[in-house]
Amino acid sequence: IVISLLNDQQVEVGEAAKQAFSSLIRSTGTNIIDTYIDTFMSAASQKFSNRKGPKSKVSEESLTTRHMGILGLAALVESQPYGIPTWLPPVVVAVSEHLTDPHPLKKTASDCMKEFWRTHQDEWIFEKQKFTQEQIDAITQTTAPSYFA
């Protein structure tokens, strides 16, 4: 039920479902994580389809599906506030790739990355060893906290 609510057209419902799903992952373990990662990566990478007409806008369905994927990936990231399991680095990178998407996808990705840095900044010197250099570059170029801001 919670996963189906991630696909709700109401942004607030999806955000609440993300929080609930994150809590479920945190409390139930990680034996099915790979299935969730595949599902959410697929949804988040869906191309935007345009409506036909003079003002070709992104279709609501493709926007909602892509947002569901980003919400699911964000829930997975936020389910691990104090550690970096082996499956997490590519998920963090995938979320960071959506920082230039239209609203509300951009806000979801941005909030997730801010939370990631907030919860991992104290141990980052040790945790970054679990990322490849390419992954570190991908997430720090777009989302690393600035000490000069």
Side-chain angles (χ1 to χ4, degrees):
I1 293 176
V2 174
I3 293 175
S4 67
L5 292 174
L6 290 171
N7 205 24
D8 197 278
Q9 289 188 349
Q10 293 293 322
V11 174
E12 296 82 6
V13 173
E15 290 290 333
K18 176 190 77 157
Q19 294 300 327
F21 183 63
S22 181
S23 295
L24 286 172
I25 291 296
R26 194 176 305 128
S27 63
T28 60
T30 60
N31 56 349
I32 196 164
I33 292 291
D34 290 337
T35 303
Y36 290 134
I37 291 171
D38 292 343
T39 300
F40 297 137
M41 289 275 200
S42 175
S45 64
Q46 179 179 352
K47 301 286 185 216
F48 291 123
S49 59
N50 292 331
R51 293 184 193 150
K52 295 183 179 180
K55 295 183 177 181
S56 73
K57 294 184 176 179
V58 173
S59 78
E60 191 69 33
E61 183 181 333
S62 65
L63 187 71
T64 302
T65 300
R66 191 162 175 167
H67 193 219
M68 184 269 296
I70 297 168
L71 284 167
L73 293 172
L76 292 170
V77 170
E78 293 174 16
S79 74
Q80 303 298 316
Y82 305 111
I84 307 283
T86 57
W87 56 264
L88 190 60
V91 175
V92 175
V93 170
V95 171
S96 74
E97 291 171 349
H98 293 282
L99 292 169
T100 58
D101 282 1
H103 182 76
L105 288 67
K106 177 180 181 174
K107 182 179 182 328
T108 299
S110 178
D111 290 348
C112 175
M113 294 308 298
K114 286 176 188 174
E115 184 67 11
F116 173 79
W117 286 118
R118 185 187 72 77
T119 57
H120 291 86
Q121 67 184 354
D122 292 341
E123 298 293 322
W124 181 244
I125 192 78
F126 305 110
E127 291 179 344
K128 74 178 182 178
Q129 297 170 6
K130 298 179 182 176
F131 288 78
T132 66
Q133 188 58 49
E134 292 82 21
Q135 291 169 329
I136 291 171
D137 291 344
I139 64 173
T140 57
Q141 289 178 359
T142 56
T143 63
S146 171
Y147 297 104
F148 302 107

